[in-house]
Amino acid sequence: MNFYILTLFPEMVMQGLNTSIIGRAVKNGLLNIEAINIRDFAQNKHGQVDDYTYGGGAGLLMQAAPIYRAYEHICEKIGKKPRVIYLTPQGDVFNQGYAEEFSKEEDLIFLCGHYEGIDERVLEEIVTDYMSIGDYVLTGGELPSMVMIDAISRLVPGVLNKQASHEIESFHDNLLEYPQYTRPEEWHGKKVPDVLLSGHHVNIEKWRREQSLKRTLERRPDLLENANLTKQDKKYLQSLKESDNI
Ligand code: ADE
């Protein structure tokens, strides 16, 4: 999968994404991540890419032309027009469902704004998806694009060590992950639950499912509305509610 990031701070995104699991996937050729410096597409020799806002107002706005040229450069290079994601608090809030949807694309372009934003006209021409990573305002789109690329990349086949591992984690099927333990068996007087030491796989699976359900009910009950629950799951949740166990 190919990610193209249009930014004024290419080193920021490349440093962040060349580490750990995503960095390894890049080395293995599963992912290709390119940061394109919008400044390289400035028309003037000073590399200026921003200017004052018509109608007044504080701060500078990124101009349309350099961004459009950078976008055209990518499209010409790869011979197609991929989806363009503009990172903005005005967008749809990114979640696991969006990560799954975007991970099916072969190419994605991320457009990172800075300063007070971007001239509306270039957004109208190239942006296909307006995405936010939450209801707060950051200084630019670089961190949001890194967040999205991380979440999307781990869904690309082969990026995670065990292909199945992302499937059983938090938010798969809208349930939170069950608690996990490693050695030692006892730490600070706290013992690993007996069932996990029993070697009885059916009981372990049952315990994990119940812990996922319990955790979701306690911490993110809103997720349960969209979870795929069996009759047995519903019965267990009902028993928790009745016993006031949460
Ligand atoms: N740019 C600034 N704040 C943002 C946010 N919360 N999400 C996406 N892009 C942003």
Side-chain angles (χ1 to χ4, degrees), residues 4 49 72 121 220 225 234:
Y4 304 93
V49 290
E72 278 191 315
R121 293 167 293 185
R220 290 293 308 275
E225 277 167 41
K234 287 181 190 158

Side-chain angles (χ1 to χ4, degrees), residues 86-92 111 113 131-145 148:
Y86 176 49
L87 292 314
T88 166
Q90 297 181 8
D92 269 6
L111 174 58
M131 297 300 307
S132 164
I133 61 159
D135 291 338
Y136 40 82
V137 182
L138 299 163
T139 55
E142 283 74 16
L143 286 170
S145 73
M148 284 186 62

Side-chain angles (χ1 to χ4, degrees), residues 154-209:
R154 62 191 288 290
L155 302 177
V156 171
V159 169
L160 294 185
N161 269 336
K162 274 193 245 139
Q163 189 41 41
S165 56
H166 73 261
E167 289 170 11
I168 51 170
E169 282 178 29
S170 290
F171 288 113
H172 178 69
D173 203 14
N174 281 292
L175 290 181
L176 301 185
E177 200 181 4
Y178 47 79
Q180 299 195 85
Y181 306 87
T182 184
R183 286 196 287 183
E185 260 180 55
E186 187 175 332
W187 180 80
H188 277 203
K190 294 169 194 274
K191 287 200 167 130
V192 173
D194 282 340
V195 62
L196 299 178
L197 310 173
S198 68
H200 193 301
H201 293 295
V202 175
N203 286 353
I204 292 172
E205 280 315 304
K206 180 168 181 281
W207 182 85
R208 286 180 166 167
R209 182 75 183 176

Side-chain angles (χ1 to χ4, degrees), residues 67-153:
I67 292 169
Y68 192 69
R69 273 202 298 275
Y71 163 76
E72 278 191 315
H73 168 79
I74 299 167
C75 296
E76 275 163 26
K77 193 171 98 164
I78 65 177
K80 48 186 153 173
K81 290 186 171 186
R83 281 166 87 167
V84 178
I85 299 166
Y86 176 49
L87 292 314
T88 166
Q90 297 181 8
D92 269 6
V93 178
F94 183 62
N95 60 23
Q96 195 64 23
Y98 274 113
E100 280 165 25
E101 179 190 324
F102 287 127
S103 73
K104 296 185 180 95
E105 299 287 330
E106 185 66 26
D107 303 276
L108 282 175
I109 298 179
F110 289 80
L111 174 58
C112 306
H114 240 275
Y115 312 117
E116 290 307 304
I118 296 183
D119 189 308
E120 191 68 21
R121 293 167 293 185
V122 70
L123 300 179
E124 284 169 10
E125 290 217 3
I126 70 172
V127 173
T128 56
D129 299 87
Y130 291 81
M131 297 300 307
S132 164
I133 61 159
D135 291 338
Y136 40 82
V137 182
L138 299 163
T139 55
E142 283 74 16
L143 286 170
S145 73
M146 288 159 73
V147 167
M148 284 186 62
I149 289 169
D150 189 289
I152 295 165
S153 293

